Structure formats: structure tokens, C-alpha cells
Amino acid sequence: MNEIKIFSPATVANVSCGFDVLGFCLDNVGDEMVIKKTTEKGVKITKIVGANLPFETQNNVAGVAALAILDAANADFGVEIEIYKNIKPGSGIGSSSASASGTVFAINELLGKPFNKQQLTLFGMKGEAVASGTEHADNVAPGIFGGFTLVKETTPLKVVQLPTPSELYATIIHPQIEIKTSEARAILPKDIPLSKAVKQWANVGSLVSALHTSDYDLIADSLNDLIVEPYRSQLIPHFDEVKAAMMNSGALGGGISGSGPSIFSLSKGKETADKVADAIREVYSKTDIEFDIHVSKINAQGIKIVKN
Amino acid sequence: MNEIKIFSPATVANVSCGFDVLGFCLDNVGDEMVIKKTTEKGVKITKIVGANLPFETQNNVAGVAALAILDAANADFGVEIEIYKNIKPGSGIGSSSASASGTVFAINELLGKPFNKQQLTLFGMKGEAVASGTEHADNVAPGIFGGFTLVKETTPLKVVQLPTPSELYATIIHPQIEIKTSEARAILPKDIPLSKAVKQWANVGSLVSALHTSDYDLIADSLNDLIVEPYRSQLIPHFDEVKAAMMNSGALGGGISGSGPSIFSLSKGKETADKVADAIREVYSKTDIEFDIHVSKINAQGIKIVKN
């Protein structure tokens, strides 16, 4: 195989109660990438469509991720990378991670699949660090593993793959405003009440159990974030109205996607997810903020090969 | 049915990372209780063997639990209760809860099983409050449900039953010292660092997932309590030595049972659990503190009928 085209999906990190730990993968929102072997070693970004991103390998998420995996494999070839962005940078649904995880997935295929998913996640994290400043797996892992993931630890990396209930759909609104990750971090308290932390880990535990048993009622009961959402939601205009509209339309629950500004919800069945989309469209249509809305099945497979 | 004899097992609450949320049920350590219908309404404690506990119904955990369920059922009979304690009060393995949950389980049988396990847990909590001052389900739920339980909320009560990996054994040492629950509560900080809380809920999530998949390695990785153990372990003599002995003998992990003084560990297989018992016996044999050691399979069934 000398060339591969892949689809690298958007992902939702944090997932309400699962701050810094949980994530899931979308199905129909994502970038495409074409990666070609070259006889010359090294990594060249040859094409970027749909976003204004740096072409210099060392400054590009995909470039750095590619170097990490090629170096670890001691590869006797280089690559040229074409990036077709559909996920808007800064949307909070894993735009940079999609470039990083897509790259390492594709190159692993070109190499003959020497690396497992934990290893691919580590290479992807190197790329992700170019965009976010730190190596984290919150969005990389759901792309590589598919479905729901729990990043138990980052040093050493330990990703736990969780089951995906078959009728679970996400509805996401991306208000096109900018939230700096640094600001989203700074707004969080350093210390939190033990009593609230206990409730949060009760919710994380019951959400994980509910994913294993496809218990939609328990998923709904568990999607409560007592710690982070009260702070970060202040940075997102009309958050409370959107959340109320989601819940009133039958969503199981929702919250901030990553560090925002996107807001996600989970629903049982596409019909409800579509209703949720209509309701939140109505909220944001009354504002002068541009927005995108996505309705997607949860993607249990993760990154997909389009052509090889 | 006019009379029933039941076995009400000891339970371990908190389970390392799962402070105030997780619990599990032991198999071969527990009380026996005989409960007889009487034509006269009301509850009489007629016999208490093995512990010095109050006979007055209102001051007795079993008495109050019995009144709660009989009242809710609007029963046309009363009961006489005989309690044969094997679980030492103050041991930290659910002595009072065993009396409370055993009572409500037994009376539910005498009533023809009108109540489900959530309801029985609520009645049991009324009894538990006599001993601990607050209605909590940490030890009541594992007795009623069996196996591992997650108390997601207490108001309204929501207990999530978790699966029990078949080769899981507990080894427990009960050093016969007194730790006041009030002291064990007071030693905890009101606020905790968000960064540690995130690690704790990552561990809770991965432990719950590991119970669903019988992943013993992941159980081992998850049994870490960064929040409570560093404080409460100070109240238990030789805690660090016991824990080191457990881990060196092949235990998956362990920690404080309830608010102590008992220390529990979990192992894969009885052989390892027995080795752990030998190792901790050696630690405490060098002290002048009296102690009991228990090795038990995890009891997936919970309270059992001995005779009816």
C-alpha cells in the first residue's frame, strides 16, 4: 500500500461528569486525509483545504504526529499529507485531534499495522500537543479506539474502551465564538468540595456501568456535571437555554463538549436527536451568533479507511 | 411462613477509590437472625447472642428497621427477633448494617416479598441510622443486592448493581481497636484538589468497567484511593505495613474497609487471598493488638435464607 485515504471523525471530550477522563466518537462529522508514501524520508504537508493551518511540519499537528510514528517505526520512507478539514478549528469537538489521530492511524496502515491502539494514541498525543500545549488523550483516544473511551491515566497511558449502546445519538451545536483553552482552564477552581467530588464519581461510575448495560435511563441519571459545567458554561452564550431546550426535547443529558464552545447532548434514537437539533436551532436562530448543528450516531469503529 | 432464619453477611464499604459510593458483600462472615411472626403487632428483640447491644426496639438497629418495613406494609402481625452476632460491632465491616438489612430481608419474606431491593435498602437505612446517626446505604445495599453495588444517590435512593467477577476473593484484617466514625469523618478535608478528584473518578470509572469485563489487571490498576486513605490510614496502626504485605503477596489492591479499623484487600483466586492472610497475620502477630482475619469469596447473592 502506497497511499491511503481516511475519514477522521470529530470527538466529544469530558462528557459531562467525566471531566478530563471520558470521550466519545462521532460518525458523520470529520476530516478526510490522504497520505502518500514517498521514497524520500520526512513529512510534507502538501495540501490543506477548509482551514487556515500551518504547512511547516513542526508546526502542524498532523506533521508532528507523522514524525512521531515514522520515527518510532524507524520507517524507510517518508509521507506527503493532504488535509481536507471539515471540523472547524476551535470548535471543541476535537479538530486538532482528528488531524493527529487520523495521521497516525493512516501511517500505521501504510506500515503494515505494527502498532496497537494504545501506541497510536501516544503518537497522536504528540501531535495534539502542538495545538493544545500539553499531551492529552481526551480527543485522540475516542478517534483511535472508537465509541466511548476512558483515559484512566496519561503517564503511562492507559485507555479503557467502553461499550457503545446501539441507539445512542449525539446532537451538537457549535456556536462560532472563540473560547481560549487557557481561559477555560483558568476559570476552574483549584480545589473542590469533597461532597461534590463524591457525587461526581458516583455519576462517572454509574455512567460507565450504564454504557455496559445499555441502560438509557441510568445514562440520563448520570449525565450531571457538578464541578466544571457551572464555571465553564458562563463562557458560552445561551448555554442554559440550549441545555433546557435539549432536555425538554427528550435528550438523556448533555453539557459542554471539551472546553467548549460546542454543546453536546446524547439521545436515545435518531428521532429524538433530530428533535433536540430543532429545539437548539430555534434558540440560536434568535441570536446573531453563527452556528453549526450536527446530529450523529456514536461511531463505535472510530477512524475509517475511505480508500486504499 | 411464620418463621425464618437468615444469614446476613458482612460488607465492605468505600472500596478504595469508591469512597461513599461503592461496596461489596462477603460470603462466610456474617450474623444469623431468626425472625418469628407474632399475632400481636410490634417488634420485640428477644435474644442477642455475641454482642452487647440494646434490647429496646427503638434503640436497636434491627428493631427500627423492622418497624419501618412492617409499617410500610401495614402488616397485620408483629415480629420477635433473635440476633446471633458474629460480626463485631465497630469492626468496619458493616456490623450494624447486617442487622438492619437482614431484618428487612427476612420480614419481606414473611410478608410474601412485596418490596423490591431498592425499597428494602431504604428500610434498612432507617435502622442503620440508629447506629451511625445518618441514613446511608454503603453497607446496607451490598447486603440486600449482593456482590458489588454503587450507591449513586441516597435522596432519592438509587442503587446500581454491578457484576461480580467469579474469581474475586477478599482478605480482611480487623484490628480490635476503636475508631469513632465521627473522628474518621472529622479527619477528612472539606475541600480536595480538582486534579486528584479527576484521578479518583478515573479510577472509579475504570474499576466499574473492570467489574463488568472481569478484567483483574484493570481492577488492580484502579484500586487506588488518593483522597481518603492518606488521612484515615493514620488512625489504623501498622496500616502501611499491612498494605505492603497485601500487595507483596499478590493482592490486586486494598484499603480501609468502611471507616476502619478493618483493612480489606481483593485477590484473584482463593490461593492468593490465603497468602495475603498469612502475610498480614505475620504483621499483626508482632503487635499486642488483637485481631481477626477473614478470607471470603465475594458473595454475589447477598443475604441468604438458612431455614424457613
Side-chain angles (χ1 to χ4, degrees):
Chain A
M1 196 194 308
N2 288 312
E3 180 175 335
I4 186 169
K5 184 176 183 179
I6 57 103
F7 171 78
S8 191
T11 48
V12 171
N14 294 341
V15 194
S16 183
C17 51
F19 175 66
D20 260 5
V21 165
L22 294 177
F24 64 80
C25 187
L26 297 178
D27 199 41
N28 59 3
V29 193
D31 302 339
E32 288 192 331
M33 306 180 79
V34 176
I35 301 195
K36 295 174 193 171
K37 270 189 188 175
T38 56
T39 48
E40 201 185 336
K41 289 191 182 186
V43 174
K44 274 184 202 156
I45 314 290
T46 54
K47 204 171 186 181
I48 302 173
V49 176
N52 184 19
L53 295 169
F55 277 86
E56 304 77 37
T57 304
Q58 285 295 351
N59 299 329
N60 184 294
V61 164
V64 171
L67 287 171
I69 183 170
L70 288 170
D71 186 48
N74 201 15
D76 60 359
F77 63 88
V79 294
E80 287 181 359
I81 303 176
E82 299 174 8
I83 305 170
Y84 301 87
K85 292 296 295 179
N86 286 307
I87 312 169
K88 293 197 176 82
S91 52
I93 51 171
S95 179
S96 56
S97 298
S99 298
S101 53
T103 300
V104 298
F105 175 92
I107 294 178
N108 192 47
E109 297 288 322
L110 295 178
L111 286 164
K113 297 204 221 183
F115 298 112
N116 66 26
K117 290 177 177 180
Q118 298 271 354
Q119 291 169 310
L120 293 182
T121 303
L122 279 169
F123 301 136
M125 288 163 69
K126 301 272 179 208
E128 169 74 7
V130 175
S132 68
T134 54
E135 290 187 21
H136 65 93
D138 305 23
N139 291 92
V140 176
I144 300 277
F145 284 80
F148 280 81
T149 54
L150 184 153
V151 179
K152 193 185 125 30
E153 287 169 57
T154 48
T155 335
L157 180 69
K158 177 103 196 176
V159 178
V160 180
Q161 186 157 25
L162 302 172
T164 304
S166 61
E167 293 176 79
L168 212 53
Y169 283 77
T171 310
I172 291 167
I173 180 163
H174 170 213
Q176 289 174 28
I177 58 162
E178 190 191 356
I179 293 181
K180 293 206 173 87
T181 305
S182 56
E183 191 184 359
R185 279 271 156 197
I187 204 171
L188 297 181
K190 281 211 155 41
D191 294 316
I192 59 170
L194 174 57
S195 57
K196 281 194 182 176
V198 167
K199 286 180 182 164
Q200 191 92 344
W201 65 62
N203 282 324
V204 170
S206 60
L207 178 56
V208 168
S209 188
L211 292 173
H212 274 280
T213 56
S214 291
D215 183 337
Y216 295 90
D217 291 338
L218 189 57
I219 291 173
D221 270 356
S222 307
L223 286 171
N224 285 304
D225 174 6
L226 301 164
I227 308 288
V228 172
E229 185 175 298
Y231 293 94
R232 286 194 171 169
S233 61
Q234 299 166 28
L235 302 173
I236 304 172
H238 312 287
F239 177 87
D240 291 343
E241 286 161 79
V242 168
K243 190 152 182 205
M246 287 172 161
M247 300 312 291
N248 291 337
S249 310
L252 300 169
I256 303 166
S257 176
S259 55
S262 284
I263 309 169
F264 83 96
S265 65
L266 289 170
S267 297
K268 184 181 179 185
K270 185 167 187 305
E271 201 181 327
T272 304
D274 283 334
K275 265 190 210 162
V276 171
D278 291 341
I280 57 182
R281 187 177 295 112
E282 206 178 307
V283 173
Y284 254 82
S285 295
K286 291 174 190 158
T287 74
D288 53 5
I289 301 168
E290 297 210 14
F291 62 92
D292 295 318
I293 287 178
H294 310 290
V295 176
S296 172
K297 203 171 192 323
I298 309 307
N299 169 0
Q301 183 186 338
I303 299 160
K304 290 171 186 173
I305 297 171
V306 178
K307 195 175 150 196
N308 62 5
Chain B
M1 195 194 308
N2 288 311
E3 180 175 335
I4 186 169
K5 183 176 184 180
I6 57 103
F7 171 77
S8 191
T11 49
V12 171
N14 293 341
V15 195
S16 183
C17 52
F19 175 66
D20 260 5
V21 165
L22 294 176
F24 64 80
C25 187
L26 298 178
D27 199 40
N28 59 4
V29 192
D31 300 341
E32 288 192 332
M33 305 180 80
V34 176
I35 302 195
K36 295 174 194 171
K37 271 190 190 174
T38 56
T39 48
E40 199 185 339
K41 289 191 184 187
V43 175
K44 275 186 201 155
I45 314 290
T46 54
K47 203 172 186 181
I48 302 173
V49 178
N52 185 18
L53 295 169
F55 276 86
E56 304 76 37
T57 303
Q58 287 294 352
N59 299 329
N60 185 293
V61 164
V64 172
L67 287 171
I69 183 170
L70 288 170
D71 186 49
N74 201 16
D76 60 359
F77 61 89
V79 294
E80 287 180 357
I81 302 176
E82 300 174 7
I83 306 170
Y84 302 86
K85 291 297 295 178
N86 286 306
I87 313 170
K88 293 196 176 82
S91 52
I93 52 172
S95 179
S96 56
S97 297
S99 298
S101 52
T103 300
V104 297
F105 174 92
I107 295 178
N108 192 48
E109 296 289 323
L110 295 177
L111 286 164
K113 297 204 218 183
F115 298 113
N116 66 26
K117 291 177 177 180
Q118 299 271 355
Q119 292 169 310
L120 293 182
T121 303
L122 279 169
F123 302 135
M125 289 163 68
K126 301 271 179 210
E128 169 73 9
V130 176
S132 68
T134 54
E135 290 187 19
H136 65 94
D138 306 22
N139 290 92
V140 175
I144 300 278
F145 284 80
F148 280 81
T149 55
L150 185 152
V151 179
K152 191 184 127 31
E153 287 169 57
T154 48
T155 334
L157 180 69
K158 178 101 196 180
V159 178
V160 180
Q161 186 157 24
L162 303 172
T164 304
S166 61
E167 294 176 78
L168 213 51
Y169 283 76
T171 310
I172 291 166
I173 181 164
H174 169 214
Q176 289 175 26
I177 59 162
E178 189 190 356
I179 293 181
K180 293 206 174 85
T181 304
S182 57
E183 191 184 0
R185 279 271 155 196
I187 204 172
L188 297 181
K190 280 213 158 36
D191 294 316
I192 59 170
L194 174 57
S195 57
K196 281 194 183 177
V198 168
K199 287 181 181 164
Q200 193 93 343
W201 65 63
N203 282 325
V204 170
S206 60
L207 178 56
V208 168
S209 188
L211 292 172
H212 274 280
T213 56
S214 291
D215 183 337
Y216 294 90
D217 291 338
L218 189 57
I219 292 173
D221 270 355
S222 307
L223 286 171
N224 285 304
D225 174 5
L226 301 164
I227 307 289
V228 173
E229 184 175 299
Y231 293 94
R232 286 193 170 169
S233 61
Q234 300 166 28
L235 303 174
I236 304 172
H238 311 288
F239 177 87
D240 292 342
E241 286 161 80
V242 167
K243 190 151 180 203
M246 287 172 162
M247 300 313 291
N248 291 337
S249 310
L252 300 170
I256 303 165
S257 177
S259 56
S262 285
I263 309 168
F264 83 96
S265 66
L266 289 170
S267 298
K268 184 181 178 184
K270 187 168 187 304
E271 201 180 327
T272 304
D274 284 333
K275 265 190 211 162
V276 170
D278 292 341
I280 57 182
R281 187 176 295 113
E282 206 178 306
V283 173
Y284 255 82
S285 294
K286 291 174 191 157
T287 73
D288 53 5
I289 302 169
E290 297 211 15
F291 62 93
D292 294 318
I293 287 178
H294 309 290
V295 175
S296 172
K297 203 169 192 325
I298 309 306
N299 169 358
Q301 184 187 339
I303 300 161
K304 291 172 188 174
I305 297 171
V306 177
K307 195 175 152 194
N308 62 4

